[in-house]
Amino acid sequence: MIAEEFKQMLSQKSVIRELAEYATERAKQIGYENVFDYSLGNPSVPVPQAFTDKLVELASSKDSMAVHGYSPSLGITSVREKVAASLSRRFGLNYKKEHIFMTSGAAGALAHALRAVATSGDEVITFAPFFPEYTPYVHGLGAVLKVVPPDTETMQVNFEAFEKMLSPKVSAVLINTPNNPSGAVYSTETIKKLASFLSQKEKEYGHDIYIISDEPYREIVFEHVDAPYTAKYYTHTITCYSFSKSLSLPGERIGYVAVNPNGPDAALIVNMCGQISRGIGHNCPPSLIQLAVAEVLDMTADLSVYETNMNILYEGLTKLGFSCVKPGGTFYIFPKALEEDAVAFCKRALKYDLILVPADSFGCPGYFRMAYCIPTEKVERSLAAFEKLAKDYQ
């Protein structure tokens, strides 16, 4: 017999992937330059040359087993030490290697973090709009994902709805800031309020409630935006990070779990992650890539183009009558569709070769996501297509 659960998932394919595939086929017909593909969040800027140089140096000068052999279950010790030192230097928490677990990207980090603090029957809460893959991540461990409705005025936490959804079954709160899909960055005020609220509930319920902070966009924060490091404000925080966006290397699948060193079970959780790997087969990220990123921890790719693109789109779209909260980071913008049915709106946009993602699967019907990690000249040219689309609704 085959597994019915995964068979059924075939009918729930990623809308984003399907749109990206459509864009690829359309580009074959009219040329890539004529398709305004805002579907896929694939970083568009080159990796830092220092990373490439380090890869070449390691591959050509180090022992083959050191760069191509299995790493230890928790990650290469020297890499974990360097990650811990970088986090401590940047955010003022006393991280040591015992608090770091190397993973295959943020997805691998979340897979471990969720299993470390939640089990079958538990509830995990997240906030809309949210990354739709959170649903299979949580359901895969037998837990229940509860989604707090969005505050579409600010894209911050809807605390009134959140309080109503909390119960003693909640073991973790999963946040994503800077946020995919809205581009919003949770403010220090928001994080402090969330931390205070959860601390009260921990006492009331008599058990720990963890914040799992999904932070692959942490380095893409725009000028003058308040972007706090969540773990500084809440002891029971597990940070899940990926170098995919900061260094523009999503295909290398490298990231880490960082457990707040002030938590009583920090080192225990990291060691548990090593055992969790045995059950999910998500272990030993590539040794070569671990060693290379360890040498560029305080670098990023040139991320400035994302703010440039955001400003062009925000100004252009709002002039055309679209409404949205101005992004504080990432490479996403999240406008409201010009009709109630965002799926229908995005289908109509295809007529102008605009590839937009309806936000129903993000828990925010009526909105759409644009991943503007594309060339700036293409962003500028797309505004004429948006103008034609907007005229359809006049």
Side-chain angles (χ1 to χ4, degrees):
M1 294 179 64
I2 59 175
E4 286 296 322
E5 175 186 356
F6 297 103
K7 178 183 174 182
Q8 292 173 12
M9 287 176 68
L10 291 172
S11 63
Q12 305 167 1
K13 290 183 179 179
S14 167
V15 173
I16 300 170
R17 294 286 176 178
E18 289 184 344
L19 284 167
E21 291 170 5
Y22 170 85
T24 299
E25 291 303 310
R26 182 63 173 154
K28 292 177 182 178
Q29 300 169 8
I30 65 172
Y32 171 74
E33 70 279 3
N34 298 311
V35 179
F36 305 110
D37 183 8
Y38 287 108
S39 63
L40 195 60
N42 207 16
S44 58
V45 297
V47 301
Q49 187 61 42
F51 175 80
T52 302
D53 292 344
K54 181 54 62 175
L55 277 179
V56 173
E57 177 190 337
L58 288 165
S60 60
S61 65
K62 295 292 184 181
D63 176 76
S64 179
M65 288 303 297
V67 295
H68 299 302
Y70 289 126
S71 77
S73 296
L74 304 185
I76 296 172
T77 300
S78 63
V79 175
R80 295 167 62 211
E81 289 173 341
K82 289 177 180 179
V83 169
S86 175
L87 289 173
S88 297
R89 184 167 59 250
R90 294 184 62 196
F91 302 117
L93 293 173
N94 190 29
Y95 285 101
K96 301 296 182 185
K97 75 176 190 311
E98 290 80 12
H99 310 125
I100 307 298
F101 175 75
M102 302 304 297
T103 66
S104 299
L110 289 166
H112 286 84
L114 285 164
R115 285 166 174 78
V117 299
T119 190
S120 180
D122 285 358
E123 293 177 350
V124 175
I125 290 184
T126 197
F127 304 97
F130 71 104
F131 182 49
E133 293 303 286
Y134 288 170
T135 301
Y137 292 172
V138 172
H139 290 178
L141 59 92
V144 177
L145 182 68
K146 298 177 71 174
V147 180
V148 177
D151 176 352
T152 55
E153 294 297 316
T154 66
M155 293 299 172
Q156 299 287 311
V157 170
N158 182 342
F159 280 102
E160 182 178 355
F162 175 49
E163 183 173 6
K164 293 177 181 177
M165 295 180 72
L166 270 173
S167 80
K169 292 183 178 181
V170 172
S171 58
V173 175
L174 175 54
I175 68 172
N176 172 217
T177 177
N179 179 260
N180 173 12
S182 70
V185 180
Y186 288 173
S187 66
T188 299
E189 179 184 4
T190 292
I191 294 300
K192 283 184 174 179
K193 187 173 180 178
L194 179 62
S196 175
F197 194 73
L198 290 179
S199 294
Q200 295 173 22
K201 290 298 179 180
E202 284 185 321
K203 294 175 183 177
E204 179 182 336
Y205 298 155
H207 65 76
D208 298 336
I209 302 173
Y210 278 84
I211 289 179
I212 298 176
S213 186
D214 181 22
E215 302 184 8
Y217 301 94
R218 185 170 67 210
E219 318 307 340
I220 310 178
V221 175
F222 303 146
E223 190 174 6
H224 305 308
V225 172
D226 174 26
Y229 183 64
T230 301
K232 287 186 68 173
Y233 299 95
Y234 190 68
T235 300
H236 292 122
T237 296
I238 302 176
T239 302
C240 296
Y241 186 74
S242 168
F243 294 96
S244 295
K245 277 66 181 185
S246 62
L247 292 174
S248 286
L249 38 79
E252 308 299 352
R253 310 308 301 142
I254 188 69
Y256 58 77
V257 167
V259 186
N260 188 325
N262 295 323
D265 297 320
L268 173 63
I269 288 173
V270 167
N271 282 315
M272 287 170 58
C273 285
Q275 298 305 307
I276 291 167
S277 293
R278 298 175 64 189
I280 62 175
H282 218 310
N283 54 340
C284 294
S287 296
L288 176 61
I289 305 302
Q290 287 189 60
L291 291 165
V293 296
E295 299 304 315
V296 293
L297 290 172
D298 295 334
M299 297 183 188
T300 68
D302 183 357
L303 306 174
S304 60
V305 67
Y306 299 138
E307 186 164 9
T308 298
N309 289 355
M310 180 277 294
N311 284 323
I312 292 169
L313 283 171
Y314 181 76
E315 181 179 352
L317 292 175
T318 52
K319 282 183 178 179
L320 290 172
F322 290 89
S323 62
C324 71
V325 175
K326 188 173 185 179
T330 74
F331 40 60
Y332 303 110
I333 193 167
F334 199 61
K336 189 173 183 179
L338 297 179
E339 61 178 289
E340 187 174 337
D341 186 344
V343 174
F345 172 82
C346 292
K347 285 182 178 178
R348 180 174 290 200
L350 294 175
K351 180 170 66 171
Y352 302 105
D353 292 305
L354 288 164
I355 316 299
L356 314 173
V357 179
D360 298 57
S361 63
F362 294 99
C364 201
Y367 286 74
F368 63 97
R369 190 193 78 169
M370 299 171 60
Y372 50 79
C373 41
I374 65 174
T376 298
E377 63 84 21
K378 205 167 184 179
V379 171
E380 293 172 331
R381 286 193 293 112
S382 75
L383 291 177
F386 273 106
E387 184 175 7
K388 294 174 183 177
L389 175 61
K391 285 181 179 179
D392 282 356
Y393 290 90
Q394 292 177 352

